[in-house]
Structure formats: structure tokens, C-alpha cells
Amino acid sequence: MSTITEIVDVEVPVSTAYNQWTQFEEFPKFMEGVEEIRQVDATHTHWVTRFGGVTREFDATITEQHPDERVAWTSDSGPDHAGVITFHRLDDSRTRVTAQMDIDPEGFAENVADKLGVLDRRVKGDLKRFKEFIEQRGRETGGWRGDVDRPGQ
């Protein structure tokens, strides 16, 4: 299992950054290798990804979500991974977005990519493209402001 942590500061208010991140179906616009995400319901998503010529489909569950603070998830099927995206208000117009993910690479290509730091660079690139996406727009494409409490709370 590998842990990846990346940080990017975006020039939008925290609510704008958070609202955009809740628009999972927009992820293919800035995430490399993500071909499609379908929001099944408030806490479930279905993903189609492509890495090293291999297409994978998997389901994920949002395990915790609090407006302007965090979105956490875990995979239900396919590649074993979990993570959390946190949003920190720097000032009225700037937000720090932190991605922390635990990934257990599946298959030869993903294991090699992990060992060579490719997965770290991919997450870093995804956050950079998120920054460009939201800053160019200046506003979110939508938002979901519901709360999802961590299991057991």
C-alpha cells in the first residue's frame, strides 16, 4: 500500500473549490486516465479509468463529506484505494486543497508506475489541472452541500 499526499493552492474561495470537487462527473476534464464517473446516488460513484492501456471499472463509496472541509472515500471493488481531499481557507479568495490517498496498485503496470513515482506525479498533475480548471472558470459547475458522517458516528 502506498500513500500519496499532494497539495495545491487555488485562487478561488473555499466554497467554490469544494463545490467543484463534489461534481465527480466533471473529473475527466482534469484527471488523467479518468474516462468517466457516474454519480449513482449521494454516496456512491462508478468509475471507468484507463492506465497503461488497461481499462478498469470500479465503485467507490463516499465515507465522509462536510461542506468546505473534506470529502473522503474508499473503493468498493476494483483497485484497492481510499483517500481524503481537504479544503483549507487561506483567505477570502484562496484555498489550499490537500489530497491524501492510500493506493494498493493492481497489476504489473500499476506496480511499476508506483515504484517509479508515476502515481505521485499523476496526482500532482491532477491537482494542477484542477487548479487551472477552477481558476479559469472562476466559478463551480455545480455543488452538493450535504453532510455524510463517518461510519460509526
Side-chain angles (χ1 to χ4, degrees):
M1 184 77 70
S2 295
T3 298
I4 299 170
T5 302
E6 293 295 341
I7 298 169
V8 69
D9 292 345
V10 295
E11 300 291 326
V12 297
V14 69
S15 62
T16 302
Y18 172 84
N19 285 346
Q20 185 59 58
W21 199 271
T22 67
Q23 300 306 290
F24 304 111
E25 293 179 355
E26 299 286 326
F27 281 13
K29 293 182 178 176
F30 57 84
M31 284 190 171
E32 182 182 354
V34 175
E35 295 192 354
E36 177 187 358
I37 300 177
R38 190 173 69 255
Q39 180 94 36
V40 178
D41 60 30
T43 60
H44 296 95
T45 55
H46 180 78
W47 294 61
V48 179
T49 62
R50 187 165 182 79
F51 184 82
V54 177
T55 299
R56 297 203 193 282
E57 293 193 39
F58 63 91
D59 297 316
T61 297
I62 297 164
T63 56
E64 186 179 11
Q65 187 166 340
H66 303 293
D68 300 341
E69 293 178 17
R70 66 193 299 116
V71 178
W73 75 93
T74 188
S75 61
D76 300 326
S77 62
D80 187 20
H81 68 280
V84 62
I85 306 296
T86 56
F87 303 85
H88 302 277
R89 180 186 177 278
L90 298 176
D91 60 35
D92 288 347
S93 61
R94 291 183 316 131
T95 303
R96 176 158 293 151
V97 180
T98 303
Q100 183 175 3
M101 299 190 302
D102 293 324
I103 300 173
D104 190 6
E106 187 176 275
F108 177 76
E110 290 160 346
N111 275 288
V112 169
D114 181 40
K115 301 287 186 250
L116 295 175
V118 173
L119 298 178
D120 290 38
R121 287 191 299 277
R122 181 171 277 191
V123 173
K124 184 178 199 136
D126 290 346
L127 284 182
K128 180 182 177 209
R129 286 184 294 278
F130 173 74
K131 173 182 174 66
E132 293 165 356
F133 179 81
I134 193 62
E135 287 180 358
Q136 286 174 359
R137 289 187 54 79
R139 60 184 174 76
E140 61 270 36
T141 59
W144 189 74
R145 307 288 297 173
D147 260 312
V148 176
D149 287 328
R150 192 171 11 159
Q153 285 195 352

